[in-house]
């Protein structure tokens, strides 16, 4: 239940006929299993990358007809992408972004590269033990005209890298390269010119209160029917008074 792959997911009392009993050669983390202890949904750990195994016949099982199936697929896609489904807001140009360290299933010897939207690259220096002792140590990584910097924060506290500042709009990619294997995109950061305060369309509470107070204190602040009704009432009273004055005289 603590795994992000099983968030909001329950597989209790579910029929799974024709499920295969698997024997794993690599270490596996059992996410869901049978009463006898066989793994049905598991996370296989190896150096090549992330791998999930579901030994269920989807044509004969009722898993696809339950709400648990789209939740399972969503959790798996978010896990493969390296996030947990939270909204990732864009970063303004000139700002920095916090990027979590690469998952343990990736090759630890892989080199991290920050690729700009125009194709220029700058190497990201991984944090060392010295950086853990000195949290605010900054290392510049320059290559070409990329102008990007890679900063290493307190790894023990937040386990994240501080990347930036970003000097170009577009999608910045964090790429992992390890030997002859093809490069893998482990993260993307959107950078634009949007301003969080200028893009907020919600009314400002202070300005709304001031405008209401000024409007209420000025003349003709009420709707037109209110003044028409007041004029009709005044004319009726005046006519009644004149009629009574004529009868008395």
């Amino acid at each position: 239940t603590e795994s992000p792959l099983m968030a909001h997911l329950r597989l209790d009392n579910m029929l799974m006929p024709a499920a295969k009993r698997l024997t794993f050669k690599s270490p596996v983390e059992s996410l869901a299993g049978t009463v006898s202890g066989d793994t049905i949904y598991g996370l296989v750990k190896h150096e090549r990358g992330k791998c999930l195994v579901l030994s269920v016949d989807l044509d004969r099982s009722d898993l696809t007809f339950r709400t648990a199936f789209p939740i399972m697929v969503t959790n798996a896609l978010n896990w493969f992408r390296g996030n947990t489904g939270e909204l990732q807001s864009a970063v303004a140009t000139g700002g920095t972004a916090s990027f979590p360290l690469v998952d343990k299933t990736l090759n630890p010897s892989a080199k991290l590269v920050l690729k700009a939207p125009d194709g220029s690259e700058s190497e990201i220096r991984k944090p060392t033990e010295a950086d853990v002792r000195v949290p605010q140590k900054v290392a510049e990584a320059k290559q070409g005209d990329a102008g990007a910097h890679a900063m290493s924060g307190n790894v023990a506290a937040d386990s994240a890298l501080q990347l930036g500042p970003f000097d170009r709009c577009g999608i910045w990619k964090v790429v992992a390269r390890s030997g002859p294997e093809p490069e893998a995109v482990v993260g993307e950061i959107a950078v634009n010119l949007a301003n969080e305060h200028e893009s907020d369309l919600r009314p400002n509470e202070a300005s709304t209160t001031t405008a209401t107070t000024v409007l209420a204190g000025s003349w003709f602040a009420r709707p037109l029917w209110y003044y028409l009704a007041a004029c009709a009432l005044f004319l009726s009273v005046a006519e009644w008074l004149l009629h009574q004055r004529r009868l008395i005289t």
Side-chain angles (χ1 to χ4, degrees):
T1 57
E2 297 179 356
S3 174
L5 293 168
M6 300 298 292
H8 314 291
L9 182 61
R10 292 183 64 92
L11 300 177
D12 299 339
N13 301 325
M14 188 171 296
L15 298 177
M16 296 183 180
K20 302 296 183 181
R21 176 178 295 178
L22 302 178
T23 301
F24 298 94
K25 297 181 179 180
S26 301
V28 59
E29 178 182 352
S30 181
L31 302 174
T34 61
V35 179
S36 59
D38 296 326
T39 299
I40 292 181
Y41 186 40
L43 166 61
V44 181
K45 300 179 180 180
H46 53 74
E47 297 182 355
R48 293 188 177 181
K50 302 179 179 180
C51 178
L52 290 176
V53 176
L54 179 64
S55 60
V56 176
D57 190 350
L58 298 179
D59 294 332
R60 301 179 59 182
S61 173
D62 61 345
L63 176 61
T64 54
F65 299 101
R66 298 198 179 191
T67 56
F69 185 69
I71 297 176
M72 177 187 294
V73 174
T74 302
N75 292 342
L77 292 177
N78 291 332
W79 181 74
F80 278 114
R81 291 178 54 191
N83 56 51
T84 57
E86 288 86 359
L87 179 64
Q88 297 181 354
S89 58
V91 181
T93 51
T96 60
S98 177
F99 181 78
L101 294 179
V102 183
D103 191 89
K104 295 180 180 179
T105 56
L106 295 177
N107 191 348
S109 61
K111 181 175 67 173
L112 296 180
V113 176
L114 183 63
K115 182 178 293 187
D118 60 354
S120 57
E121 300 178 356
S122 55
E123 183 178 353
I124 302 176
R125 185 178 62 84
K126 293 184 179 180
T128 60
E129 295 181 357
D131 298 327
V132 177
R133 293 190 297 266
V134 185
Q136 300 299 329
K137 184 177 180 180
V138 179
E140 296 184 355
K142 299 180 180 180
Q143 181 175 352
D145 296 331
H149 304 281
M151 298 181 290
S152 57
N154 193 335
V155 181
D158 52 13
S159 298
L161 296 173
Q162 294 294 330
L163 303 179
F166 303 100
D167 58 352
R168 288 181 177 85
C169 293
I171 304 298
W172 292 70
K173 298 181 180 180
V174 180
V175 180
R177 295 173 180 170
S178 55
E181 298 181 2
E183 64 180 27
V185 179
V186 296
E188 294 181 345
I189 302 173
V191 180
N192 54 34
L193 296 175
N195 187 296
E196 181 179 358
H197 301 286
E198 294 179 357
S199 302
D200 191 356
L201 301 180
R202 293 174 296 182
N204 190 350
E205 183 178 356
S207 60
T208 305
T209 306
T210 304
T212 305
T213 305
V214 173
L215 184 62
S218 60
W219 292 92
F220 303 105
R222 298 183 181 274
L224 180 61
W225 66 266
Y226 180 84
Y227 301 102
L228 294 177
C231 291
L233 179 61
F234 175 78
L235 293 176
S236 299
V237 173
E239 183 181 3
W240 181 82
L241 291 176
L242 292 175
H243 177 73
Q244 295 296 330
R245 182 174 179 273
R246 186 180 61 178
L247 291 179
I248 295 175
T249 56

